[in-house]
């Protein structure tokens, strides 16, 4: 079986042919460098275990164990400290690990499975990008989505452009990328980005219901998502090129931009009951 992880809860439900991985939240529920490094190991373990036909798998489902938050995205204190210290190498490592994670999700971890994101609460920045890497998005009616990077003169560099410009018409994609607005699940459902909006306190039961409804149709659905990816192919090199532009942009940030980033860091930490941030 899969080993225990520090930053993720992972459970296998053979009766549903389903793996559920949840992001643990210690401090701000974001993607820290430690989470990203461990996610790379988790991805490799997943591929090895489920290459074994004794562990049938059709669905890989993501979620969060933090009430009200799926994920707030990038580790802003880490960015802030790296930019202040002019440490480009740290930003590049972080960005490339993000792309490793995003592309593994997009490719269903090289397994014959459908990926499903279950979103409860806020999915902001990189959290939103993570969601969009999945085949299917199921969101609680109260879930919120946002790409807030332009509030501190940066842009979402870990997949947002690639996914939104493939999933939506160009005007709808540009609106979400440029506005920095918060979108509800219903609104994104109408745009065609979210597959199912649920009004349930037990999202996992809704996922199981979705799977039960679609089980007899799995062969079609699996081929359907593979075909979409063939018609609108996404190469890892595209994601890496864009995230390298993101690193360049980080290094061009001015003091006023960093001050706005600092205000968001402080707001996040107040919400989580954390006093002061630590530069890394």
């Amino acid at each position: 079986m899969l080993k225990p992880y520090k930053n993720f809860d992972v459970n296998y439900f053979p009766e549903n042919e389903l793996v559920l991985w949840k992001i643990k939240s210690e401090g701000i529920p974001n993607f820290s460098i430690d989470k990203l490094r461990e996610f790379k190991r988790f991805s490799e373990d997943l591929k090895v275990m489920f290459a074994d036909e004794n562990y049938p798998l059709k669905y890989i489902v993501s979620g969060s164990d933090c009430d009200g938050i799926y994920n707030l995205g990038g580790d802003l204190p880490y960015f802030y400290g790296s930019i202040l210290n002019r440490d480009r190498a740290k930003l590049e490592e972080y960005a490339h690990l993000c792309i490793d994670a995003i592309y593994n999700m997009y490719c269903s971890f090289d397994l014959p499975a459908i990926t499903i994101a279950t979103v409860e609460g806020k999915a902001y920045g990189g959290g939103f990008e993570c969601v969009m890497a999945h085949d299917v998005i199921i969101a609680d009616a109260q879930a919120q989505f946002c790409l807030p990077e332009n509030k501190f003169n940066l842009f979402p560099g870990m997949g947002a452009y690639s996914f939104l410009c493939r999933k939506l018409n160009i005007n709808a994609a540009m609106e979400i990328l440029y506005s920095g607005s918060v979108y509800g699940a219903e609104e994104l459902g109408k745009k065609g980005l979210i597959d199912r909006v649920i009004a349930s306190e037990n999202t996992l039961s809704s996922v199981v219901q979705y799977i039960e409804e679609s089980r007899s149709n799995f062969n079609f659905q699996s081929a359907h998502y593979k075909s979409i990816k063939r018609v609108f192919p996404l190469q890892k090199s595209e994601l890496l090129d864009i995230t390298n532009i993101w690193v360049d942009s980080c290094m061009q940030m001015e003091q006023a931009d960093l001050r706005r980033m600092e205000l968001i860091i402080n707001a996040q930490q107040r919400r989580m009951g954390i006093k002061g941030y630590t530069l890394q």
Side-chain angles (χ1 to χ4, degrees), residues 26-37:
E26 295 180 3
I28 296 176
N30 59 18
F31 287 116
S32 68
I33 190 75
D34 288 341
K35 281 191 177 77
L36 292 169
R37 288 169 179 156

Side-chain angles (χ1 to χ4, degrees), residues 82-145:
S82 300
I83 294 164
L84 278 186
N85 294 325
R86 313 305 297 165
D87 196 335
R88 184 186 184 92
K90 288 180 72 171
L91 290 170
E92 285 181 337
E93 180 194 9
Y94 184 97
H96 290 189
L97 283 170
C98 283
I99 298 309
D100 284 343
I102 288 289
Y103 201 67
N104 267 315
M105 294 177 217
Y106 170 76
C107 295
S108 300
F109 300 88
D110 296 327
L111 294 166
I114 293 172
T115 56
I116 303 174
T118 58
V119 186
E120 298 170 285
K122 293 180 172 65
Y124 283 7
F128 191 6
E129 291 173 302
C130 171
V131 167
M132 288 188 282
H134 292 69
D135 296 318
V136 178
I137 304 172
I138 298 176
D140 184 271
Q142 304 305 312
Q144 295 180 323
F145 303 81

Side-chain angles (χ1 to χ4, degrees), residues 56 82 92 103 125 146 154 164 168-169 178 186 195-196 199-200 202 213 216-217 227 238 259 278:
S82 300
E92 285 181 337
Y103 201 67
C146 181
L154 203 56
L164 284 172
L168 302 178
N169 69 62
Y178 197 85
E186 293 281 359
D195 299 276
R196 181 173 292 193
S200 169
N202 190 340
E213 291 172 0
S216 63
N217 213 25
S227 297
E238 176 183 317
R259 177 57 184 157
T278 302

Side-chain angles (χ1 to χ4, degrees), residues 229-278:
K229 292 170 186 176
R230 179 63 186 89
V231 173
F232 302 104
L234 174 57
Q235 302 299 323
K236 189 175 183 180
S237 58
E238 176 183 317
L239 294 168
L240 286 169
D241 287 346
I242 294 172
T243 209
N244 287 334
I245 295 171
W246 178 86
V247 173
D248 291 339
S249 295
C250 284
M251 301 306 291
Q252 297 300 316
M253 291 178 74
E254 298 180 355
Q255 193 60 43
D257 305 327
L258 290 171
R259 177 57 184 157
R260 287 192 289 272
M261 182 185 285
E262 187 177 22
L263 291 172
I264 294 174
I265 292 169
N266 289 334
Q268 288 182 350
Q269 298 206 337
R270 280 195 304 273
R271 188 181 191 281
M272 305 308 298
I274 302 169
K275 293 184 179 179
Y277 56 85
T278 302

Side-chain angles (χ1 to χ4, degrees), residues 196-217:
R196 181 173 292 193
V197 179
I198 58 173
S200 169
E201 293 183 355
N202 190 340
T203 309
L204 182 56
S205 67
S206 298
V207 172
V208 172
Q209 180 183 351
Y210 174 86
I211 289 171
E212 289 303 319
E213 291 172 0
S214 60
R215 185 175 298 280
S216 63
N217 213 25

